[in-house]
Amino acid sequence: MRFLFPILLILLVFGLFGCASYPNNPKLDHYDLSKGYRYDQLNAQKNSDSLFVILTFSGGGTRAAALSYGVLEKLRDTPIVWEGRHSNLLNEVDVISSVSGGSFTAGYYTAFGAAIFKDKKEAGFLRDFLYRDIEKELLTQLFYPTNWFRLASPYYSRIDMATDFYNAEIFNGTKYDDLINLKTKPYLMINATDMSLGSRFTFEQAQFDPMCADLGGVNLARAVAASSNFPVAFPPMTMNNHAGSCGYKEKQPGWIAEAEKDLLINPSRYKNAVLFKTYQDGKQRPFIHLLDGGIADNLGLRGPLQALVSNDTELSLQSKMSDGTIKKLLIITVDAKNKPDLNYDASAIPADVIDVLKIVANVPMDNFSFETTETLRKSFTELEKDKNTYLACQSQLQLHCPSAVLSSPAPNIPQLDFIYIGFDLLSNPAERDKFFNMKTSFYLPEAQINELRNVAKRLLDQSEAFQKFVSVIK
Amino acid sequence: MEYVIVNFIENRAVMANGKKLGQTNQTLLIEKGNHNFSLDGLQNYRPAQVMAVIKDTTTITPYQITFNLV
């Protein structure tokens, strides 16, 4: 009899914690474009749309978080005068799109603003994340008996445990509802990867609408955890798809039906429509599984790129350019990628399974990132060329036929600037290699973090494009 | 990138696929492909909407759409 009580107690504890589950993202009552976490709902601003600044923060664990943090520090310390108002460049940031390690910096700055710069002796980002051995603490979590019981549940995994840790220890329970209530920029685009589609899944209400899910009730920590959900280290994160319960299908955005006709004329637009529609199918996809955002786009640049070339996305730069709202558009991409390891080629013995998995996870990601930056550069070049073609025609017409005018007005194409910040810009090979060889993890020694913060500032100082941009708005 | 002008006697918001694209009588940027154009505000114009395939345009030769006041 005296053994029965402990056994019953253990069974009870297992029974209770065995029912542990990931948090169910809440249902959306009604699909409503005037509510939810959307760029156009952020209207309590001092910063204008006329100077439109987008930051993108790559993946790369603490290395990426520290490099992007250094960029924030540099922008804070860059004074500007825009439309007669004295400010700094950081205050003019409109959008931050991030992936994985970069999502910690992006999420914290969006939620807590200048508090991100608190000294590392105080509670804040530096003490609670950047200079902390997160990796060790996550491992320690595995040894807590309460977590054994919770992890026994098939509905609660290591990524949910990490989410709970980030939520309590870094993001203080912040939900997207808190960001909605703040109504301040920057607009945060935290990117994960839809495991089944291999495509970008952005934590914004427009992505949650077809799932009839309310992003407002989701913890910011959950978005950050999904974004940094490195395959194998963590299992996929599960989101509930409530599609069909909020009237979205009846009022779905008009671009979807039009883009479905574009298979031959614009295949990428067609593909976007086809992928997006899968979220409306709550029967076939009652659950959505998310992995690290780096698998689909390790720079966080694809979302802003799509907003630049399309009016289909809820945040459209096209319409803001066309109506003359945006006068200057600056995109800064912070890329903390490391170097491909060529040591495997020094031996005839092939790499083992773990190494092959690492290569398969990283090398295509880097190649894709290169393609993404090239696509953005080409888009900017094309727009500049279009603007110049118009101006050249106008000037020729004035020269040879002064009384004639062009039948169409000039398009509003703003000044476009793209700044890439990455270790490959460092001219000293030894220094470059030092940064390239910093490991990808959620812990780096203090000295390395300091070096990363400093090199970010130096790379911006050395960037001709950055100096040119700043010189005209000083 | 493609270009379109929506001609109308008044200054109105141009809707492409139900979403604001820009203003009438301006050269507007748009993605290549099928689009459904209409005007925001009063429905005092014809046709009620224009479906068009936008491709091969330039800033000098944008696709032209005209709505008439009724």
Side-chain angles (χ1 to χ4, degrees), chain A residues 133-145 147-148 151 158 161-162 165-166 233-234 439 441-443:
Chain A
D133 192 343
I134 298 289
E135 199 147 301
K136 185 173 146 193
E137 292 197 47
L138 284 177
L139 277 172
T140 309
Q141 293 281 314
L142 289 171
F143 294 98
Y144 290 170
N147 281 335
W148 300 346
L151 290 168
R158 295 190 305 285
M161 190 191 74
F165 177 81
Y166 302 153
F234 295 105
K439 67 176 178 175
S441 82
F442 280 131
Y443 169 70

Side-chain angles (χ1 to χ4, degrees), chain A residues 129-344:
Chain A
F129 176 72
L130 205 57
Y131 287 90
R132 187 171 176 179
D133 192 343
I134 298 289
E135 199 147 301
K136 185 173 146 193
E137 292 197 47
L138 284 177
L139 277 172
T140 309
Q141 293 281 314
L142 289 171
F143 294 98
Y144 290 170
T146 48
N147 281 335
W148 300 346
F149 297 122
R150 295 162 87 195
L151 290 168
S153 163
Y155 304 108
Y156 187 90
S157 67
R158 295 190 305 285
I159 191 62
D160 302 308
M161 190 191 74
T163 302
D164 289 341
F165 177 81
Y166 302 153
N167 190 43
E169 298 287 324
I170 302 165
F171 293 103
N172 303 326
T174 303
K175 287 184 185 291
Y176 271 90
D177 269 338
D178 298 315
L179 303 189
I180 294 167
N181 293 333
L182 278 175
K183 291 189 181 297
T184 52
K185 292 182 197 170
Y187 179 65
L188 178 65
M189 298 170 75
I190 288 186
N191 301 287
T193 299
D194 181 318
M195 186 188 76
S196 302
L197 304 178
S199 61
R200 182 168 50 85
F201 181 99
T202 305
F203 280 76
E204 54 184 352
Q205 189 53 49
Q207 177 87 63
F208 277 59
D209 284 336
M211 295 159 56
C212 287
D214 181 4
L215 177 62
V218 175
N219 282 316
L220 179 56
R222 199 149 182 240
V224 172
S227 179
S228 56
N229 187 8
F230 198 75
V232 185
F234 295 105
M237 176 185 283
T238 305
M239 305 290 290
N240 291 64
N241 186 355
H242 309 291
S245 62
C246 65
Y248 179 85
K249 266 187 191 171
E250 297 74 24
K251 293 190 282 184
Q252 74 171 12
W255 71 268
I256 297 175
E258 297 303 315
E260 282 182 303
K261 302 171 195 165
D262 283 352
L263 174 60
L264 298 177
I265 185 171
N266 187 346
S268 61
R269 186 175 183 235
Y270 168 83
K271 189 183 168 196
N272 285 339
V274 170
L275 296 183
F276 203 71
K277 272 188 88 172
T278 66
Y279 295 104
Q280 294 180 32
D281 191 346
K283 283 188 181 144
Q284 197 188 12
R285 305 191 75 195
F287 304 102
I288 306 296
H289 297 286
L290 302 178
L291 286 172
D292 192 297
I295 296 166
D297 164 24
N298 201 37
L299 291 177
L301 189 54
R302 286 270 157 182
L305 181 59
Q306 208 186 342
L308 177 74
V309 301
S310 175
N311 195 43
D312 295 342
T313 50
E314 199 166 274
L315 168 62
S316 168
L317 301 180
Q318 262 190 359
S319 61
K320 289 185 189 303
M321 291 196 294
S322 280
D323 66 13
T325 303
I326 299 178
K327 308 283 185 221
K328 284 181 194 283
L329 172 62
L330 170 66
I331 300 181
I332 301 178
T333 287
V334 185
D335 184 5
K337 73 161 187 268
N338 50 13
K339 203 168 87 171
D341 190 348
L342 302 180
N343 288 331
Y344 298 113

